[in-house]
């Protein structure tokens, strides 16, 4: 097609797993926690669906503000943290700017970088051309001092830190992120999609650093991927700029209503988070007992390594979806921690597959 931009010609559309399945453990979705609470929502809002929504989602931002104790002037909301990532790039990226992150990490950083004409530089576990060691160690943990050196050398406009990291599950210590913030001129964007399962959020530090942006979502720990709500936190000046480029009415009224209700009742996630941690540790142990290499996780998923050929397909034949990877991560798999029953179905199937392998 002759009109399409040269620089995005080989982009592929995002492929979600939407076939039939019995157990879905491929997208880090949480449990459906708010069904009963949502049933009590007053249908009164329906009478206003002919009107545009509140453009800046004021009521919702007020609720989020109470929930996390951050002024509402320092909050922007939108369609998932995916929109937040885009808004950051829209506001700050000029042609050819560099975005520094690591690999493996959330794949959309690379895609959005291309779309917004930035050069994505992903630090991986390999040594540099000059032989200097990588900031990323073999177990996907990070050497913060080496990362700061690389940031200095590469001079990116933005450093994108997924913390805890998807798909590795690795959590960078808060002290390390603060060290990075103090030692770089770049904007540091911390994607905290999974932080509820861990500790060390940066949201309390947004006034302390003029170069800090934090992204959050309701898609994972709150189990609300279907309503598409993400939010951004930063000092009022950054938020002011982001608001100038945000589309008006970017968040629909239904999401605003449901998200307000969820956040007012968000204490119900505490139990769930504890359950996920127990299940996660049990799953990790079970995987290790099968002789698989398992990575420590601070999230609701587990990265593991297995040389079983076509493991994903074999699980899929049994109605179970997990996530595999290409591009240097062959033989690695990301497994979402499900509920007790789902995890058992998965483990039983995996044991069978391992047994077949050996016979
Ligand atoms: C799931 C995920 C997101 C996307 O979240 P949405 O709010 O659903 O758009 C963003 N970042 C990371 C690291 C994720 O894993």
């Amino acid at each position: 097609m002759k009109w399409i931009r040269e620089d995005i010609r080989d982009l592929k559309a995002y492929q979600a797993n939407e076939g039939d399945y019995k157990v879905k453990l491929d997208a880090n979705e949480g449990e459906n926690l708010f069904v009963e609470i949502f049933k009590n929502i007053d249908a009164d809002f329906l009478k206003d669906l002919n009107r545009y929504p509140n453009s800046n989602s004021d009521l919702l931002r007020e609720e989020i503000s109470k929930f996390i104790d951050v002024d509402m002037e320092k909050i922007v909301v939108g369609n998932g943290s995916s929109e937040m990532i885009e808004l950051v790039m829209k506001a700050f990226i000029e042609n050819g700017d560099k975005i520094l992150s690591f690999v493996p990490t959330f794949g959309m950083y690379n895609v959005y970088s291309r779309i917004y004409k930035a050069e994505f530089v992903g630090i991986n576990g390999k040594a540099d051309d000059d032989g200097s060691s990588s900031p990323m160690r073999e177990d996907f943990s990070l050497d913060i001092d080496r990362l700061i050196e690389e940031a200095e050398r590469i001079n990116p406009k933005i450093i994108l830190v997924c913390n805890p990291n998807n798909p590795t599950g690795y959590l960078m210590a808060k002290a390390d992120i603060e060290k990075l913030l103090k030692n770089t001129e770049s904007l540091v964007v911390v994607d905290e999609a999974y932080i509820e399962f861990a500790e060390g959020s940066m949201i309390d530090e947004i006034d302390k650093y003029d170069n800090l942006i934090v992204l959050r979502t309701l898609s994972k720990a709150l189990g609300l991927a279907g309503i598409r709500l993400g939010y951004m936190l930063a000092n009022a000046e950054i938020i002011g700029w982001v608001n100038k480029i945000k589309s008006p009415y970017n968040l629909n009224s239904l999401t605003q209503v449901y998200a307000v209700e969820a956040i007012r009742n968000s204490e119900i996630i505490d139990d769930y988070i504890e359950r996920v941690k127990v299940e996660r540790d049990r799953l990790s142990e079970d995987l290790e007992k099968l002789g698989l290499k398992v990575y420590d996780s601070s999230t609701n998923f587990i990265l593991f390594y297995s040389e079983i050929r076509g493991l994903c397909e074999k699980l899929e034949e049994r109605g179970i979806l997990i996530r595999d990877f290409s591009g240097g991560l062959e033989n690695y798999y990301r497994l979402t921690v499900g509920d007790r029953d789902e995890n058992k179905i998965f483990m039983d199937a995996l044991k069978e597959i391992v047994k077949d392998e050996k016979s």
Side-chain angles (χ1 to χ4, degrees), residues 159-175:
I159 303 172
L160 248 169
V161 178
C162 184
N163 200 51
N165 190 23
N166 175 9
T168 65
Y170 174 71
L171 177 73
M172 242 170 125
K174 185 167 174 173

Side-chain angles (χ1 to χ4, degrees), residues 55-123:
S55 186
N56 291 317
S57 307
D58 291 321
L59 187 59
L60 173 55
R61 282 165 50 246
E62 232 177 276
E63 281 309 318
I64 295 174
S65 164
K66 283 186 260 174
F67 171 47
I68 56 174
D69 198 18
V70 168
D71 302 337
M72 64 184 280
E73 296 73 49
K74 296 167 190 164
I75 304 172
V76 178
V77 300
N79 279 266
S81 39
S82 304
E83 185 184 354
M84 301 299 106
I85 299 165
E86 281 207 76
L87 286 179
V88 168
M89 296 200 186
K90 242 175 164 168
F92 297 105
I93 290 296
E94 293 170 278
N95 271 4
D97 279 346
K98 290 180 177 140
I99 293 182
L100 180 65
S101 190
F102 13 90
V103 172
T105 193
F106 188 47
M108 293 308 289
Y109 301 158
N110 196 343
V111 174
Y112 288 134
S113 298
R114 296 255 316 263
I115 296 171
Y116 288 92
K117 298 175 184 285
E119 183 191 334
F120 181 86
V121 182
I123 287 178

Side-chain angles (χ1 to χ4, degrees), residues 139-265:
D139 62 357
F140 302 121
S141 67
L142 288 161
D143 177 335
I144 190 63
D145 296 315
R146 283 284 300 116
L147 184 64
I148 290 167
E149 280 170 25
E150 285 302 288
E152 206 166 304
R153 189 174 68 81
I154 292 163
N155 191 25
K157 174 70 75 70
I158 292 173
I159 303 172
L160 248 169
V161 178
C162 184
N163 200 51
N165 190 23
N166 175 9
T168 65
Y170 174 71
L171 177 73
M172 242 170 125
K174 185 167 174 173
D176 281 356
I177 297 178
E178 293 208 57
K179 194 169 186 184
L180 175 63
L181 282 158
K182 285 179 190 147
N183 286 286
T184 182
E185 295 283 310
S186 310
L187 261 177
V188 176
V189 178
V190 184
D191 183 345
E192 296 191 343
Y194 301 95
I195 198 74
E196 292 90 345
F197 299 102
E199 260 146 50
S201 171
M202 294 300 294
I203 53 173
D204 299 330
E205 315 303 330
I206 54 172
D207 286 318
K208 196 161 142 199
Y209 300 101
D210 63 358
N211 57 339
L212 171 63
I213 297 177
V214 181
L215 309 182
R216 288 278 190 95
T217 177
L218 265 61
S219 296
K220 309 288 162 57
L222 281 88
L224 290 171
I227 74 171
R228 311 299 304 123
L229 181 74
Y231 54 99
M232 177 190 307
L233 310 154
N235 63 62
E237 197 184 352
I238 289 180
I239 294 298
W241 286 108
V242 171
N243 273 325
K244 287 181 198 178
I245 51 99
K246 176 182 87 61
S247 303
Y249 314 116
N250 64 317
L251 194 66
N252 73 76
S253 333
L254 295 125
T255 297
Q256 292 188 35
V257 168
Y258 282 84
V260 163
E261 205 57 26
I263 288 172
R264 278 185 185 150
N265 292 283

